[in-house]
Amino acid sequence: MPERTCIGCRSRAPADTLVRIAWSPTGGRLVTGPGHSGRGAWLCPDAECLDLAMQRDAVGRALRVGVPAAAAAELVAGWASTVAAAGPLPGG
Ligand SMILES: [Zn+2]
């Protein structure tokens, strides 16, 4: 499994332990999980990492899009369920 860098805490981890975030141009929103094409940003399933990424606008920079505030807010609002859907981490 390739490693990816979390855009929040900048630590490296196997891709299957991170949440993939992509931009949906058609929906005009950020989407999470596998199966979305285009550039991806990776985050630990951790509210702290999402906070760090939001403070630095790291999602928009990683995806090379200008993320509308509403789309960012939607990602934040749905993060808890996104993390729950990602399932328990290996060994955790
Ligand atoms: Zn992280």
Side-chain angles (χ1 to χ4, degrees):
M1 179 59 64
E3 289 200 330
R4 295 286 184 266
T5 302
C6 170
I7 61 170
C9 64
R10 311 292 302 180
S11 65
R12 291 177 66 81
D16 64 350
T17 68
L18 300 174
V19 175
R20 186 176 191 272
I21 300 168
W23 175 249
S24 169
T26 51
R29 56 196 291 268
L30 294 163
V31 291
T32 56
H36 301 290
S37 59
R39 295 185 64 86
W42 299 81
L43 266 179
C44 305
D46 190 314
E48 200 168 314
C49 291
L50 181 64
D51 274 352
L52 287 168
M54 286 297 160
Q55 285 167 24
R56 294 201 302 254
D57 191 27
V59 176
R61 277 191 286 132
L63 299 179
R64 297 184 187 169
V65 295
V67 178
E74 183 188 20
L75 179 71
V76 172
W79 191 245
S81 55
T82 296
V83 168
L89 292 174

Coordinates of all heavy atoms in Angstrom, one line a residue:
M1 N 0.9 -1.2 0.0 CA 0.0 0.0 0.0 C 0.9 1.2 0.0 O 1.7 1.4 0.9 CB -0.9 0.0 1.2 CG -1.8 1.2 1.4 SD -3.0 1.4 0.0 CE -4.0 -0.1 0.1
P2 N 0.7 2.1 -1.0 CA 1.5 3.3 -1.0 C 1.2 4.2 0.2 O 0.1 4.2 0.7 CB 1.1 4.0 -2.3 CG -0.3 3.5 -2.6 CD -0.3 2.1 -2.0
E3 N 2.2 5.0 0.5 CA 2.0 6.0 1.6 C 1.6 7.3 1.1 O 2.0 7.7 -0.1 CB 3.3 6.1 2.4 CG 3.6 4.9 3.3 CD 4.6 5.2 4.4 OE1 5.4 6.2 4.2 OE2 4.5 4.6 5.4
R4 N 0.8 8.0 1.8 CA 0.4 9.4 1.5 C 0.7 10.3 2.6 O 0.8 9.8 3.8 CB -1.1 9.4 1.1 CG -1.5 8.6 -0.1 CD -1.1 9.3 -1.4 NE -1.5 8.6 -2.6 CZ -0.8 7.7 -3.2 NH1 0.5 7.4 -2.8 NH2 -1.2 7.1 -4.3
T5 N 0.8 11.6 2.4 CA 1.0 12.6 3.4 C -0.3 13.2 3.8 O -1.0 13.7 2.9 CB 2.0 13.6 2.9 OG1 3.3 12.9 2.6 CG2 2.3 14.6 4.0
C6 N -0.6 13.2 5.1 CA -1.8 13.9 5.6 C -1.5 15.4 5.4 O -0.5 15.9 5.8 CB -2.0 13.6 7.0 SG -3.2 14.6 7.9
I7 N -2.5 16.1 4.8 CA -2.3 17.5 4.6 C -2.6 18.4 5.8 O -2.4 19.6 5.8 CB -3.2 18.1 3.4 CG1 -4.7 17.9 3.7 CG2 -2.9 17.4 2.1 CD1 -5.6 18.6 2.8
G8 N -3.0 17.7 6.9 CA -3.2 18.4 8.2 C -1.9 18.3 9.0 O -1.2 19.4 9.2
C9 N -1.5 17.1 9.4 CA -0.4 17.0 10.3 C 0.9 16.7 9.6 O 2.0 16.7 10.2 CB -0.7 16.0 11.4 SG -0.8 14.3 10.7
R10 N 0.8 16.5 8.3 CA 2.0 16.3 7.4 C 2.7 15.0 7.7 O 3.8 14.8 7.3 CB 3.0 17.4 7.5 CG 2.4 18.8 7.4 CD 1.9 19.1 6.0 NE 2.9 19.0 5.0 CZ 2.7 19.2 3.7 NH1 1.5 19.6 3.3 NH2 3.6 19.1 2.8
S11 N 2.1 14.1 8.5 CA 2.7 12.8 8.7 C 2.3 11.8 7.6 O 1.3 12.0 6.9 CB 2.4 12.2 10.1 OG 1.0 11.9 10.1
R12 N 3.2 10.9 7.3 CA 3.0 9.9 6.3 C 2.3 8.7 6.8 O 2.6 8.2 7.9 CB 4.3 9.5 5.6 CG 4.9 10.7 4.8 CD 6.2 10.3 4.1 NE 6.1 9.3 3.1 CZ 5.7 9.5 1.9 NH1 5.3 10.7 1.5 NH2 5.6 8.5 1.0
A13 N 1.4 8.1 6.1 CA 0.7 6.9 6.5 C 0.2 6.1 5.3 O 0.1 6.7 4.2 CB -0.5 7.3 7.4
P14 N 0.0 4.8 5.5 CA -0.6 4.1 4.3 C -1.9 4.7 3.8 O -2.7 5.1 4.7 CB -0.8 2.7 4.9 CG 0.1 2.6 6.1 CD 0.2 4.0 6.6
A15 N -2.1 4.7 2.5 CA -3.2 5.4 2.0 C -4.5 4.8 2.5 O -5.5 5.5 2.6 CB -3.2 5.3 0.4
D16 N -4.5 3.5 2.8 CA -5.8 2.9 3.3 C -6.2 3.3 4.7 O -7.3 2.9 5.2 CB -5.9 1.4 3.1 CG -4.8 0.7 3.9 OD1 -4.0 1.3 4.5 OD2 -4.9 -0.6 3.9
T17 N -5.3 4.0 5.4 CA -5.6 4.5 6.7 C -6.0 5.9 6.7 O -6.3 6.5 7.8 CB -4.5 4.3 7.7 OG1 -3.4 5.1 7.4 CG2 -4.0 2.8 7.7
L18 N -5.9 6.6 5.5 CA -6.3 8.0 5.4 C -7.6 8.1 4.6 O -8.0 7.2 4.0 CB -5.2 8.7 4.7 CG -3.8 8.7 5.3 CD1 -2.7 9.3 4.4 CD2 -3.8 9.4 6.7
V19 N -8.2 9.3 4.8 CA -9.4 9.6 4.0 C -9.0 10.4 2.8 O -8.3 11.4 2.9 CB -10.4 10.4 4.9 CG1 -11.6 10.9 4.1 CG2 -10.8 9.6 6.1
R20 N -9.5 10.0 1.7 CA -9.2 10.7 0.4 C -10.3 11.8 0.2 O -11.5 11.5 0.2 CB -9.1 9.8 -0.8 CG -8.7 10.4 -2.1 CD -8.5 9.4 -3.1 NE -7.9 9.9 -4.3 CZ -8.5 10.5 -5.3 NH1 -9.8 10.7 -5.3 NH2 -7.8 11.0 -6.4
I21 N -9.8 13.0 -0.1 CA -10.8 14.1 -0.5 C -10.5 14.5 -1.9 O -9.4 14.6 -2.3 CB -10.5 15.3 0.5 CG1 -10.7 14.8 1.9 CG2 -11.5 16.4 0.1 CD1 -10.2 15.9 2.9
A22 N -11.6 14.6 -2.6 CA -11.5 15.1 -4.0 C -12.5 16.2 -4.3 O -13.4 16.4 -3.5 CB -11.7 13.9 -5.0
W23 N -12.2 16.9 -5.3 CA -13.2 18.0 -5.7 C -14.1 17.5 -6.8 O -13.6 16.9 -7.8 CB -12.4 19.2 -6.2 CG -13.2 20.3 -6.7 CD1 -13.3 20.7 -8.0 CD2 -14.1 21.2 -6.0 NE1 -14.2 21.8 -8.1 CE2 -14.7 22.1 -6.9 CE3 -14.4 21.2 -4.6 CZ2 -15.6 23.0 -6.4 CZ3 -15.4 22.2 -4.2 CH2 -15.9 23.1 -5.1
S24 N -15.4 17.7 -6.6 CA -16.3 17.3 -7.7 C -16.7 18.6 -8.4 O -17.5 19.4 -7.9 CB -17.6 16.7 -7.0 OG -18.6 16.6 -8.0
P25 N -16.2 18.8 -9.6 CA -16.5 20.0 -10.4 C -18.0 20.1 -10.7 O -18.6 21.2 -10.7 CB -15.7 19.9 -11.6 CG -14.7 18.8 -11.4 CD -15.3 17.9 -10.4
T26 N -18.6 19.0 -11.0 CA -20.0 19.0 -11.4 C -20.9 19.3 -10.2 O -21.9 20.0 -10.3 CB -20.4 17.6 -12.0 OG1 -20.0 16.6 -11.1 CG2 -19.8 17.4 -13.3
G27 N -20.5 18.7 -9.0 CA -21.3 19.0 -7.8 C -20.9 20.3 -7.1 O -21.7 20.8 -6.3
G28 N -19.7 20.8 -7.5 CA -19.2 22.0 -6.8 C -19.0 21.8 -5.3 O -19.2 22.6 -4.5
R29 N -18.6 20.6 -5.0 CA -18.4 20.2 -3.6 C -17.2 19.3 -3.4 O -16.7 18.7 -4.4 CB -19.7 19.6 -3.0 CG -20.1 18.4 -3.8 CD -21.6 18.0 -3.4 NE -21.7 17.5 -2.1 CZ -21.6 16.2 -1.7 NH1 -21.4 15.3 -2.6 NH2 -21.7 15.8 -0.5
L30 N -16.8 19.2 -2.1 CA -15.7 18.2 -1.8 C -16.4 16.9 -1.5 O -17.4 16.8 -0.8 CB -15.0 18.7 -0.6 CG -14.2 20.0 -0.8 CD1 -13.8 20.7 0.5 CD2 -12.9 19.8 -1.7
V31 N -15.7 15.8 -2.1 CA -16.3 14.5 -1.8 C -15.2 13.6 -1.2 O -14.0 13.9 -1.4 CB -16.7 13.8 -3.2 CG1 -18.0 14.5 -3.7 CG2 -15.6 13.9 -4.2
T32 N -15.6 12.7 -0.4 CA -14.6 11.9 0.3 C -14.7 10.4 0.0 O -15.8 10.0 -0.5 CB -14.8 12.0 1.8 OG1 -16.1 11.7 2.2 CG2 -14.5 13.4 2.3
G33 N -13.7 9.7 0.2 CA -13.7 8.2 0.0 C -13.1 7.9 -1.4 O -12.8 8.7 -2.2
P34 N -12.9 6.6 -1.6 CA -12.4 6.1 -2.9 C -13.4 6.3 -4.0 O -14.6 6.5 -3.7 CB -12.0 4.7 -2.6 CG -13.0 4.3 -1.5 CD -13.2 5.5 -0.7
G35 N -13.0 6.1 -5.2 CA -13.9 6.1 -6.3 C -14.2 7.4 -7.0 O -15.0 7.6 -7.9
H36 N -13.4 8.5 -6.5 CA -13.6 9.8 -7.2 C -12.3 10.1 -8.0 O -11.2 9.9 -7.5 CB -13.8 10.9 -6.1 CG -15.0 10.6 -5.3 ND1 -16.3 10.8 -5.8 CD2 -15.2 10.3 -4.0 CE1 -17.2 10.5 -4.8 NE2 -16.5 10.2 -3.7
S37 N -12.5 10.5 -9.2 CA -11.4 10.8 -10.0 C -10.8 12.2 -9.7 O -11.4 12.9 -9.0 CB -11.8 10.7 -11.5 OG -12.8 11.6 -11.8
G38 N -9.7 12.5 -10.4 CA -9.1 13.8 -10.2 C -8.1 13.7 -9.1 O -7.8 12.7 -8.5
R39 N -7.6 14.9 -8.8 CA -6.6 15.1 -7.8 C -7.2 14.7 -6.4 O -8.3 14.9 -6.2 CB -6.0 16.5 -7.7 CG -5.3 16.9 -9.0 CD -4.7 18.3 -8.8 NE -3.7 18.3 -7.7 CZ -2.4 18.0 -7.8 NH1 -2.0 17.7 -9.0 NH2 -1.6 18.0 -6.8
G40 N -6.3 14.2 -5.6 CA -6.8 13.8 -4.3 C -6.0 14.5 -3.2 O -4.8 14.8 -3.4
A41 N -6.6 14.8 -2.1 CA -5.9 15.2 -0.9 C -6.2 14.2 0.2 O -7.2 13.6 0.2 CB -6.5 16.6 -0.4
W42 N -5.2 14.0 1.1 CA -5.3 12.9 2.0 C -5.3 13.5 3.4 O -4.5 14.4 3.7 CB -4.2 11.9 1.8 CG -4.3 11.3 0.5 CD1 -3.8 11.8 -0.7 CD2 -4.8 10.0 0.2 NE1 -4.1 10.9 -1.7 CE2 -4.7 9.8 -1.2 CE3 -5.5 9.0 0.9 CZ2 -5.1 8.7 -1.9 CZ3 -5.9 7.9 0.3 CH2 -5.7 7.7 -1.1
L43 N -6.1 13.0 4.3 CA -6.2 13.4 5.7 C -6.4 12.2 6.6 O -7.1 11.3 6.3 CB -7.4 14.3 5.9 CG -7.3 15.9 5.8 CD1 -8.6 16.5 6.0 CD2 -6.3 16.4 6.8
C44 N -5.7 12.3 7.8 CA -6.0 11.3 8.8 C -7.5 11.4 9.2 O -8.1 12.5 9.1 CB -5.2 11.6 10.1 SG -3.4 11.7 9.9
P45 N -8.1 10.4 9.5 CA -9.5 10.4 10.0 C -9.6 11.0 11.4 O -9.9 10.4 12.4 CB -10.0 9.0 10.0 CG -8.8 8.2 10.1 CD -7.7 9.0 9.5
D46 N -9.3 12.3 11.5 CA -9.1 13.0 12.8 C -9.5 14.4 12.6 O -9.1 15.1 11.7 CB -7.6 12.9 13.1 CG -7.3 13.4 14.5 OD1 -7.8 14.4 14.9 OD2 -6.4 12.7 15.2
A47 N -10.3 14.9 13.6 CA -10.9 16.2 13.5 C -9.7 17.3 13.6 O -9.8 18.4 13.0 CB -11.9 16.5 14.6
E48 N -8.7 16.9 14.3 CA -7.6 17.8 14.5 C -6.9 18.1 13.2 O -6.5 19.2 12.9 CB -6.6 17.3 15.5 CG -5.7 18.3 16.2 CD -5.0 17.8 17.4 OE1 -5.6 17.1 18.2 OE2 -3.7 18.0 17.4
C49 N -6.7 17.0 12.4 CA -6.0 17.2 11.1 C -6.9 18.0 10.2 O -6.3 18.8 9.4 CB -5.7 15.8 10.5 SG -4.5 14.9 11.5
L50 N -8.2 17.8 10.2 CA -9.1 18.6 9.4 C -9.0 20.1 9.8 O -8.9 21.0 8.9 CB -10.5 18.2 9.5 CG -11.5 18.9 8.6 CD1 -11.2 18.8 7.1 CD2 -12.9 18.5 8.9
D51 N -8.9 20.4 11.1 CA -8.8 21.7 11.5 C -7.5 22.4 11.0 O -7.5 23.5 10.5 CB -8.7 21.8 13.1 CG -10.1 21.8 13.7 OD1 -11.1 22.0 13.0 OD2 -10.2 21.7 14.9
L52 N -6.4 21.6 11.1 CA -5.1 22.1 10.7 C -5.1 22.4 9.2 O -4.6 23.4 8.7 CB -4.0 21.1 11.0 CG -3.6 21.0 12.4 CD1 -2.7 19.7 12.6 CD2 -2.8 22.2 12.9
A53 N -5.7 21.5 8.4 CA -5.8 21.7 7.0 C -6.7 22.9 6.6 O -6.3 23.7 5.7 CB -6.4 20.4 6.3
M54 N -7.8 23.1 7.3 CA -8.6 24.3 7.1 C -7.9 25.6 7.4 O -8.1 26.6 6.7 CB -9.9 24.1 7.9 CG -10.9 23.1 7.3 SD -11.4 23.5 5.7 CE -12.0 21.9 5.1
Q55 N -7.2 25.6 8.5 CA -6.5 26.8 8.9 C -5.5 27.2 7.8 O -5.2 28.4 7.6 CB -5.7 26.6 10.2 CG -6.6 26.6 11.4 CD -5.9 26.1 12.7 OE1 -4.7 26.1 12.7 NE2 -6.7 25.5 13.6
R56 N -4.9 26.3 7.1 CA -3.9 26.6 6.1 C -4.4 26.6 4.7 O -3.7 26.7 3.8 CB -2.7 25.6 6.2 CG -2.0 25.6 7.5 CD -0.6 25.0 7.3 NE -0.7 23.6 6.9 CZ -0.5 22.5 7.6 NH1 -0.1 22.7 8.9 NH2 -0.6 21.3 7.2
D57 N -5.7 26.4 4.5 CA -6.3 26.2 3.2 C -5.6 25.1 2.4 O -5.4 25.2 1.2 CB -6.3 27.5 2.4 CG -7.2 27.4 1.2 OD1 -8.1 26.6 1.1 OD2 -6.9 28.1 0.2
A58 N -5.2 24.1 3.2 CA -4.4 23.0 2.6 C -5.2 22.2 1.6 O -4.7 21.6 0.6 CB -3.8 22.1 3.6
V59 N -6.5 22.1 1.8 CA -7.3 21.3 0.9 C -7.3 21.9 -0.5 O -7.1 21.2 -1.5 CB -8.8 21.1 1.4 CG1 -9.7 20.4 0.4 CG2 -8.8 20.4 2.8
G60 N -7.6 23.2 -0.6 CA -7.7 23.9 -1.9 C -6.3 23.8 -2.6 O -6.3 23.7 -3.8
R61 N -5.3 24.0 -1.8 CA -3.9 24.0 -2.4 C -3.6 22.6 -2.9 O -3.0 22.5 -4.0 CB -2.9 24.5 -1.4 CG -2.8 26.0 -1.4 CD -1.6 26.5 -0.6 NE -1.8 26.4 0.8 CZ -0.9 25.9 1.6 NH1 0.2 25.5 1.2 NH2 -1.2 25.8 2.9
A62 N -3.9 21.6 -2.1 CA -3.6 20.2 -2.6 C -4.4 19.8 -3.8 O -3.9 19.1 -4.7 CB -3.9 19.2 -1.5
L63 N -5.6 20.3 -3.9 CA -6.5 20.0 -5.0 C -6.4 21.0 -6.2 O -6.9 20.7 -7.2 CB -8.0 19.9 -4.6 CG -8.2 18.8 -3.5 CD1 -9.7 18.8 -3.1 CD2 -7.8 17.4 -3.9
R64 N -5.7 22.1 -5.9 CA -5.5 23.1 -6.9 C -6.9 23.6 -7.4 O -7.1 23.8 -8.6 CB -4.6 22.6 -8.1 CG -3.2 22.3 -7.6 CD -2.3 21.9 -8.8 NE -1.1 21.4 -8.3 CZ -0.1 20.9 -9.0 NH1 -0.4 20.7 -10.3 NH2 1.0 20.4 -8.5
V65 N -7.7 23.9 -6.4 CA -9.0 24.5 -6.7 C -9.3 25.6 -5.7 O -8.7 25.5 -4.5 CB -10.2 23.5 -6.8 CG1 -10.0 22.5 -7.9 CG2 -10.4 22.8 -5.4
G66 N -10.1 26.5 -6.0 CA -10.5 27.5 -5.0 C -11.8 26.9 -4.4 O -12.8 26.8 -5.0
V67 N -11.6 26.4 -3.2 CA -12.8 25.8 -2.5 C -13.7 26.8 -1.9 O -13.3 27.6 -1.1 CB -12.3 24.9 -1.4 CG1 -13.5 24.2 -0.7 CG2 -11.4 23.8 -2.0
P68 N -15.0 26.9 -2.4 CA -15.9 27.8 -1.8 C -16.1 27.6 -0.3 O -16.0 26.4 0.1 CB -17.2 27.6 -2.6 CG -16.8 26.8 -3.8 CD -15.6 26.0 -3.4
A69 N -16.3 28.6 0.4 CA -16.5 28.5 1.9 C -17.6 27.5 2.2 O -17.5 26.7 3.2 CB -16.8 29.9 2.5
A70 N -18.7 27.5 1.4 CA -19.8 26.6 1.7 C -19.4 25.1 1.5 O -19.8 24.3 2.3 CB -21.0 26.9 0.7
A71 N -18.5 24.9 0.5 CA -18.0 23.5 0.3 C -17.1 23.1 1.5 O -17.2 21.9 1.9 CB -17.3 23.4 -1.0
A72 N -16.3 24.0 1.9 CA -15.4 23.7 3.0 C -16.2 23.4 4.3 O -16.0 22.5 5.0 CB -14.4 24.9 3.3
A73 N -17.3 24.3 4.5 CA -18.1 24.1 5.7 C -18.8 22.7 5.6 O -19.0 22.1 6.7 CB -19.1 25.2 5.8
E74 N -19.2 22.4 4.4 CA -19.9 21.1 4.3 C -19.0 19.9 4.6 O -19.4 19.0 5.3 CB -20.4 20.9 2.8 CG -21.3 19.7 2.6 CD -21.6 19.4 1.1 OE1 -20.9 20.0 0.2 OE2 -22.5 18.6 0.9
L75 N -17.7 20.0 4.2 CA -16.8 19.0 4.6 C -16.6 18.9 6.1 O -16.6 17.8 6.6 CB -15.4 19.3 3.9 CG -14.3 18.2 4.2 CD1 -14.6 16.9 3.5 CD2 -13.0 18.8 3.8
V76 N -16.5 20.0 6.7 CA -16.3 20.1 8.2 C -17.5 19.5 8.9 O -17.4 18.7 9.8 CB -16.0 21.5 8.6 CG1 -16.0 21.6 10.2 CG2 -14.7 22.0 8.1
A77 N -18.7 19.9 8.4 CA -19.9 19.4 9.0 C -20.1 17.9 8.9 O -20.6 17.3 9.8 CB -21.1 20.1 8.4
G78 N -19.6 17.4 7.8 CA -19.8 15.9 7.6 C -18.6 15.1 8.0 O -18.6 13.9 7.8
W79 N -17.6 15.7 8.6 CA -16.4 15.0 8.9 C -16.6 13.8 9.8 O -16.0 12.7 9.7 CB -15.3 16.0 9.4 CG -13.9 15.4 9.5 CD1 -13.2 15.1 10.6 CD2 -13.1 14.9 8.4 NE1 -12.0 14.6 10.2 CE2 -11.9 14.4 8.9 CE3 -13.3 14.9 7.0 CZ2 -10.9 13.9 8.1 CZ3 -12.3 14.4 6.2 CH2 -11.1 13.9 6.7
A80 N -17.4 14.0 10.9 CA -17.6 13.0 11.8 C -18.2 11.7 11.2 O -17.7 10.6 11.5 CB -18.5 13.4 13.0
S81 N -19.1 11.9 10.3 CA -19.7 10.7 9.6 C -18.7 10.1 8.6 O -18.7 8.9 8.4 CB -21.1 11.0 9.0 OG -21.0 12.1 8.1
T82 N -17.9 11.0 8.0 CA -16.9 10.5 7.1 C -15.9 9.6 7.8 O -15.6 8.6 7.3 CB -16.2 11.7 6.4 OG1 -17.1 12.5 5.7 CG2 -15.0 11.3 5.5
V83 N -15.5 10.1 8.9 CA -14.5 9.3 9.7 C -15.2 8.0 10.2 O -14.5 6.9 10.1 CB -14.1 10.2 10.9 CG1 -13.3 9.3 11.9 CG2 -13.2 11.3 10.5
A84 N -16.4 8.1 10.6 CA -17.1 6.8 11.0 C -17.2 5.8 9.8 O -17.0 4.6 10.0 CB -18.5 7.2 11.6
A85 N -17.5 6.4 8.6 CA -17.6 5.5 7.5 C -16.3 4.9 7.1 O -16.2 3.8 6.5 CB -18.2 6.3 6.3
A86 N -15.2 5.6 7.4 CA -13.9 5.1 7.1 C -13.5 3.8 7.9 O -12.6 3.1 7.5 CB -12.8 6.2 7.3
G87 N -14.3 3.6 9.0 CA -14.1 2.4 9.8 C -13.0 2.5 10.7 O -12.2 3.5 10.7
P88 N -12.9 1.5 11.6 CA -11.8 1.5 12.5 C -10.4 1.4 11.8 O -10.3 0.7 10.8 CB -12.1 0.3 13.4 CG -12.9 -0.6 12.5 CD -13.7 0.3 11.6
L89 N -9.5 2.1 12.4 CA -8.1 2.0 11.8 C -7.5 0.6 12.2 O -7.8 0.1 13.2 CB -7.2 3.1 12.4 CG -7.6 4.5 11.9 CD1 -6.8 5.5 12.7 CD2 -7.4 4.7 10.5
P90 N -6.6 0.2 11.3 CA -5.9 -1.1 11.6 C -5.2 -1.0 13.0 O -4.5 0.0 13.2 CB -4.9 -1.2 10.5 CG -5.5 -0.4 9.4 CD -6.2 0.7 10.0
G91 N -5.5 -1.9 13.8 CA -4.8 -1.9 15.1 C -5.5 -1.0 16.1 O -5.0 -0.8 17.2
G92 N -6.6 -0.3 15.7 CA -7.2 0.6 16.6 C -8.6 0.4 16.9 O -9.3 -0.4 16.5
Ligands
ZN1 ZN -3.0 13.9 10.0

